[in-house]
Amino acid sequence: MLLEDFIDYDGKKIMFITGSGISEASGVPTFRGTNGLWLNHDIEEICNIRNFNKFYDKIIPFYDGLRLSLADKKYNIAHKFIADLQKNYGTHRIGIATTNVDLFHEEAGAINVHHIHGNITELILNYKKPNEHCVNIGYKPFDYTSLTEKCKPNVIFFEESMHYEEGFKKEIYSDLLWLLSNANKDVIIFIIGASNQVIPFNTWLNGCQAKYYNVNPVSYNNEMNPIFRFPHEIVKNAVDSIPDISLIVEEHLSK
């Protein structure tokens, strides 16, 4: 499994969990932001598995358009910073999980990246049929008219329970929950650029033994959120937070 060597390592380590905010500097809009990808679309139509068959003709163009739009985009300094840390310290000490469906972490040089919400370059063929399987189609145009059965982008929809990773089907969030349940006091977790709406990390991490930071240009600790607060915040965007994160990482891993 992608995070197995990280979880099995008995020592000080760092976990990066990234959201769409880390890819903004690469020119990729977030889903929910001011110019978000969902702004001109009904989320229930294009991102709820209950409506997959009903709105199939809207779903496929939307996700295919997103996939093709990433072809000329490139990873940014924040992705490279994390990838370089992993190269320097090893995958057993630097773990990476992302809710993003792009491959910027890998393109920056990272490996063993757990894609919590799937991978936009992958397509599930013969969807819901006995011969269903997942293939990588990259960023090149794909001829959907050649298919005799429905397909589905390997991106997790609302109310969906399973997804493909490394060619195998597994329960969504199983690896993330496995990771968080094994995060002890030797672990520092950075949640970078996440909206905390689909996955409320401030709730999921409440009571976690690990020290965790929310890295976001907007603070989540305010009067609207009086119960589940982040004990540590870096109120900066992903790129501007690099010096702060670097100091914390070096201090933690050098002990």
Side-chain angles (χ1 to χ4, degrees):
M1 298 178 75
L2 291 170
L3 299 174
E4 189 168 10
D5 61 338
F6 177 83
I7 291 175
D8 287 346
Y9 177 68
D10 185 19
K12 293 186 181 297
K13 48 194 175 181
I14 304 287
M15 186 70 206
F16 289 96
I17 301 175
T18 65
S20 58
I22 197 173
S23 294
E24 276 192 283
S26 295
V28 180
T30 63
F31 281 91
R32 297 174 181 273
T34 305
N35 297 310
L37 294 167
W38 283 337
L39 187 63
N40 297 315
H41 299 273
D42 186 334
I43 298 176
E44 288 298 305
E45 292 183 357
I46 61 171
C47 200
N48 191 311
I49 202 63
R50 285 189 295 105
N51 298 322
F52 179 78
N53 290 322
K54 183 178 180 180
F55 296 108
Y56 182 77
D57 291 339
K58 288 185 177 182
I59 289 168
I60 295 303
F62 174 81
Y63 288 97
D64 196 54
L66 173 58
R67 180 181 65 86
L68 294 174
S69 74
L70 295 175
D72 63 350
K73 302 292 191 301
K74 184 178 173 60
Y75 62 84
N76 62 59
I77 189 174
H79 298 104
K80 188 67 166 59
F81 166 69
I82 295 172
D84 287 347
L85 283 175
Q86 191 185 62
K87 286 181 182 179
N88 293 336
Y89 290 103
T91 56
H92 62 297
R93 301 194 78 186
I94 304 291
I96 306 168
T98 184
T99 59
N100 296 339
V101 296
D102 61 57
L103 297 180
F104 291 146
H105 283 296
E106 290 90 340
E107 291 163 8
I111 60 174
N112 292 2
V113 180
H114 169 43
H115 282 266
I116 299 167
H117 286 159
N119 177 347
I120 194 67
T121 67
E122 294 179 342
L123 194 64
I124 302 171
L125 299 179
N126 304 318
Y127 183 62
K128 292 293 185 181
K129 300 295 181 181
N131 59 341
E132 174 187 291
H133 61 287
C134 189
V135 298
N136 193 304
I137 60 173
Y139 294 118
K140 295 181 179 179
F142 182 81
D143 181 14
Y144 292 88
T145 63
S146 65
L147 302 178
T148 56
E149 300 287 349
K150 287 182 177 178
C151 63
K152 179 186 177 292
N154 188 28
V155 174
I156 293 175
F157 288 19
F158 291 113
E159 298 190 38
E160 194 166 17
S161 60
M162 305 290 287
H163 81 297
Y164 279 91
E165 190 165 49
E166 297 184 289
F168 297 97
K169 208 166 188 179
K170 61 176 69 173
E171 289 185 19
I172 66 171
Y173 303 138
S174 57
D175 286 358
L176 179 61
L177 292 170
W178 179 49
L179 166 73
L180 298 181
S181 66
N182 283 276
N184 58 31
K185 57 183 175 56
D186 288 328
V187 183
I188 289 180
I189 301 172
F190 292 98
I191 304 106
I192 304 177
S195 70
N196 292 293
Q197 294 186 52
V198 176
I199 302 177
F201 286 107
N202 49 348
T203 302
W204 283 29
L205 286 165
N206 186 45
C208 179
Q209 294 183 47
K211 188 175 185 178
Y212 53 97
Y213 291 80
N214 189 45
V215 183
N216 201 296
V218 177
S219 173
Y220 279 76
N221 291 347
N222 53 50
E223 64 277 4
M224 299 298 292
N225 180 31
I227 301 175
F228 297 110
R229 301 169 70 88
F230 287 102
H232 306 283
E233 289 191 302
I234 299 175
V235 187
K236 297 179 181 179
N237 64 37
V239 171
D240 292 342
S241 69
I242 290 174
D244 303 77
I245 294 174
S246 183
L247 287 173
I248 296 167
V249 169
E250 289 178 14
E251 181 182 2
H252 182 66
L253 296 184
S254 64
K255 292 179 180 178

